Amino acid sequence: MLLPLLMGMPVILCNMLLQSLISVWCIRFYIKRFHDKEGTIAGVMALFGIITIVLLGNLLQILLWGLLFLGLGEFDTLLEAVYHSGVNFATLGYGDIVMSPRWKLLGPLEAVNGALMIGLSGACMLAVLQHHIRKQLRT
């Protein structure tokens, strides 16, 4: 039980760092390009940009887990490892591909990590949306 935790924690920490960077990039992106702009189009473009940044960040996090699974020898191809990682990260839990008993605990660990990171992604998008709505209500 300790070995999967020791292998998974560095990936969780990397994902936390990556998510923090993504959140800061989202805020900078919004302030630099849309903070002073008003109107529906500006709001749509701001959200589209934020969603794109967040999605790419989440895909990178899924890739990190997939690379760990591949490195541990759980899967033969990167595609298979990333697919399994995406299912875990998104907390879908299909169960069509299962890891060996030795590394099975990494699945729930990634699911918890994914739920937290996707939640933070949603919070980032909501913050931009709320700011834009407040701006619209003031005018």
Side-chain angles (χ1 to χ4, degrees):
M1 184 169 140
L2 187 59
L3 189 58
L5 290 173
L6 290 174
M7 295 303 288
M9 285 311 293
V11 177
I12 288 174
L13 294 173
C14 286
N15 282 349
M16 289 169 48
L17 180 62
L18 184 57
Q19 187 67 42
S20 298
L21 286 169
I22 289 163
S23 297
V24 170
W25 288 338
C26 286
I27 293 165
R28 286 185 177 171
F29 169 82
Y30 179 75
I31 289 171
K32 187 175 181 181
R33 290 181 176 80
F34 296 100
H35 187 265
D36 297 331
K37 296 189 170 126
E38 296 180 19
T40 303
I41 299 297
V44 167
M45 294 309 293
L47 277 173
F48 182 79
I50 300 295
I51 291 168
T52 302
I53 293 168
V54 162
L55 179 62
L56 290 173
N58 288 148
L59 292 174
L60 276 173
Q61 292 174 59
I62 290 168
L63 178 63
L64 281 176
W65 279 102
L67 289 170
L68 173 64
F69 299 155
L70 192 64
L72 293 173
E74 285 296 300
F75 300 102
D76 295 329
T77 66
L78 182 61
L79 178 63
E80 199 175 31
V82 169
Y83 167 77
H84 181 72
S85 173
V87 169
N88 286 340
F89 196 84
T91 69
L92 291 171
Y94 287 154
D96 56 338
I97 299 177
V98 183
M99 295 201 304
S100 67
R102 181 177 187 190
W103 300 113
K104 211 175 209 176
L105 186 58
L106 287 173
L109 221 101
E110 183 184 8
V112 169
N113 181 224
L116 290 171
M117 298 304 107
I118 290 171
L120 286 171
S121 297
C124 190
M125 291 181 277
L126 183 59
V128 168
L129 181 60
Q130 285 177 328
H131 186 270
H132 189 73
I133 289 170
R134 279 192 210 106
K135 237 179 13 179
Q136 296 291 36
L137 292 174
R138 280 187 235 138
T139 59

